[in-house]
Amino acid sequence: MPTAFITGATAGIGAAFARRLASDGFDLVLLARDAERLERTAAELREKYGVRAEALPADLSAEEGLAAAEKRVRDGVDLLVNNAGFGNKGVFLDVPVSDELTMLKVHCEAVLRLTHAAVPGMLERGRGGVINVSSAAAFATRGTYGASKAWVVSFSQGVASDIDARSRGRVRVMALCPGFVRTEFHDRAQMDMSDVPGFMWLDKGDVVDAALRDLRRGVQVSIPGPQYKALVGVGRLLPRGLVARLSSTTGRKYD
């Protein structure tokens, strides 16, 4: 059976990927920091879907954890989902620079290193895929978070273009850019999301469905939901200063 490696696998979009891929018959390697929760998640998936589910407790902001993840990816995976991520509480000048650097380590360095570890083996086998979870914030103005997610989009497109001729479309790299999704993400960052209208929320299962469908189609940047496709499209036509004013405060009240 094919094997999927998922970071940030115990909650939110990562957990939704794990459930969907297990139901599709993938064996799983699940990575997260909370070892107890991770093993519980792996056990539930093994029992429910009859697949292998390996738990790899690791912190991608630490060199030891990132090196362990790289080593396991090099052992061979068919699908890599770089999902791990978080938001900081507060705007740039209110956040300790050490926390901002940790964000760049997880959102950018980990994505780069794990993609670099996965793709050569995929090319050698002639099949495989990488989904780098970015955000609709990549197309807006959201401080370090948005900047790091914009990097994920550009990086993923660059790698996809670099390997296109060599892989003949059999190895695909894609950036996934969801908007607001009901997960633990906002609670952990202590964000007050009460001003976000209901129609702007996406279901995490729908996000995963869209991602896997777009990966099969060879899409390089997947934007789930017609509302976000429209917003990103319109945003590209508006003056950057106006987009910055409109996007910098939405959903950014902190408890």
Side-chain angles (χ1 to χ4, degrees):
M1 287 193 288
T3 299
F5 187 109
I6 306 167
T7 70
T10 56
I13 294 173
F17 265 111
R19 288 191 298 272
R20 167 61 190 274
L21 292 170
S23 72
D24 287 347
F26 277 77
D27 288 333
L28 303 172
V29 182
L30 308 176
L31 182 146
R33 291 181 299 172
D34 187 332
E36 182 178 346
R37 186 179 186 186
L38 184 62
E39 183 51 54
R40 187 166 63 248
T41 298
E44 291 170 355
L45 292 169
R46 286 193 293 265
E47 180 178 355
K48 183 171 182 179
Y49 297 105
V51 299
R52 292 193 305 167
E54 175 186 341
L56 178 60
D59 182 353
L60 294 179
S61 70
E63 180 58 32
E64 181 181 7
L66 188 45
E70 279 181 299
K71 181 178 183 300
R72 180 59 186 85
V73 169
R74 286 197 186 98
D75 288 341
V77 297
D78 299 284
L79 177 63
L80 169 64
V81 181
N82 279 314
N83 167 75
F86 63 94
N88 285 323
K89 180 183 179 181
V91 296
F92 178 67
L93 293 180
D94 297 332
V95 177
V97 71
S98 59
D99 292 350
E100 299 282 61
L101 290 171
T102 296
M103 176 175 284
L104 294 179
K105 182 88 171 181
V106 175
H107 289 186
C108 299
E109 184 178 343
V111 168
L112 184 154
R113 288 172 61 174
L114 294 185
T115 300
H116 192 275
V119 169
M122 293 177 179
L123 290 172
E124 184 177 338
R125 293 187 297 274
R127 68 181 188 279
V130 178
I131 298 174
N132 292 325
V133 179
S134 178
S135 168
F139 308 102
T141 302
R142 308 291 287 190
T144 303
Y145 181 83
S148 69
K149 293 303 186 178
W151 180 90
V152 171
V153 173
S154 181
F155 168 75
S156 301
Q157 288 180 292
V159 176
S161 297
D162 286 345
I163 68 173
D164 184 59
R166 183 175 173 185
S167 73
R168 297 181 181 178
R170 291 191 293 266
V171 179
R172 296 167 180 171
V173 177
M174 184 185 82
L176 172 63
C177 303
F180 294 116
V181 183
R182 295 196 185 278
T183 68
E184 299 175 9
F185 176 92
H186 303 103
D187 291 339
R188 288 179 176 178
Q190 297 178 283
M191 294 182 182
D192 177 2
M193 307 303 294
S194 59
D195 67 337
V196 178
F199 76 91
M200 294 297 292
W201 290 97
L202 300 173
D203 176 79
K204 51 186 174 288
D206 292 341
V207 169
V208 169
D209 289 345
L212 295 175
R213 181 172 60 250
D214 283 346
L215 185 69
R216 288 192 298 270
R217 293 170 52 211
V219 172
Q220 290 187 4
V221 180
S222 173
I223 303 173
Q227 66 274 55
Y228 286 102
K229 287 182 173 65
L231 283 172
V232 170
V234 169
R236 287 169 172 162
L237 301 176
L238 295 176
R240 292 182 63 86
L242 176 59
V243 173
R245 289 194 297 274
L246 292 173
S247 65
S248 62
T249 57
T250 304
R252 297 188 77 191
K253 295 188 294 182
Y254 298 92
D255 296 330

